[in-house]
Amino acid sequence: MASPMKCLASNPTRYVQSFRVFLENSTEHQCMREFMENQLPAVIASIGNGKSTINILSVGGGAGEIDLLILSKVQARYPGVIINNDVIEPSVDQISKYKERVAETSNLENVKFTWHKETAYEYESRMNAEKKSKKWDFIHMIQMLYYVEDIPATIRYFHSLLETQAKLLLIVVSENSGWETLWRKFAPSFSSEGVSSYISSADIRRILDSAGLKYQVHELPSHMDITSCFIEGNKDGDLLLDFLTENCDFSKTAPPELKQQVMEELRKPECSEKRDGKVLFNNNLSVIVIEP
């Protein structure tokens, strides 16, 4: 009998709900913001040297919160320079939120935004069909490589679009995170249509090493409060479980034995720590900066 489990990506509304609860209960965006504030300036220090225009490509830009922070740092480093910011994002809902955010943000006069409603693969296919290969000064792919069919090919393609002083920045879950433990153990049991790869920084480093690319890795400590996952019928807890497993309504559709094993795993020290009566899941991230 076919499993009733469905991939979370197959239900965009549920995905956005679970992602919102994930952001509310995790330090994901805070740790990214700290990185952008403190360490990004050094990463972008030479991307626009001698240029009157800087071209930035955001692959999977989402609702634009982190993108706008990146842009503010590029503006601070290169005041007055024109910035072309192209965004590849398949979700209409996310693009619409991104546009709202841009409309509410001041000091973007020198930034020209172009949104492409497509996946990374669709963008690559379209560029190849149109025989275009525009070069970029900075490309970033934040928490999106899980949804790519062929990760080595995708990294190779976008790396080939870098200018000589450019950088390609990737953010994925760290190999030292609870995600690594959870996914390595249970990925074969989860419904995986829509999520192509349960990957961590270890997989990305292997890909980059075999391609002979130069890169630096920055670890970002982060956690997620998953206490509500252990309260039967708790709405936020159910949404967090969906996000952790990338499965829609995991709590209701997973076989009881699988659900029990996942809940037990989530409590283990390899995944989480108990602090002040809360269960805090290890949500550590890795920022990988790749040279041209």
Side-chain angles (χ1 to χ4, degrees), residues 50-90:
K51 295 183 177 249
S52 55
T53 304
I54 294 173
N55 295 315
I56 297 177
L57 182 61
S58 162
V59 187
E65 184 183 346
I66 301 298
D67 282 22
L68 292 187
L69 186 51
I70 289 171
L71 287 168
S72 73
K73 295 300 161 197
V74 177
Q75 285 177 307
R77 174 67 183 85
Y78 301 100
V81 169
I82 300 295
I83 299 170
N84 292 320
N85 187 71
D86 279 37
V87 182
I88 300 169
E89 171 55 55

Side-chain angles (χ1 to χ4, degrees), residues 95-112:
I95 289 175
S96 142
K97 286 192 173 67
Y98 197 137
K99 289 179 176 175
E100 282 169 24
R101 196 165 256 133
V102 167
E104 292 161 4
T105 306
S106 55
N107 305 323
L108 290 173
E109 299 78 19
N110 65 327
V111 184
K112 179 177 177 285

Side-chain angles (χ1 to χ4, degrees), residues 122-139:
E122 286 164 349
Y123 175 85
E124 179 182 348
S125 303
R126 181 169 62 81
M127 288 293 129
N128 288 338
E130 295 172 8
K131 297 200 166 31
K132 290 181 181 169
S133 63
K134 182 174 178 179
K135 294 284 185 178
W136 302 89
D137 301 302
F138 189 51
I139 300 175

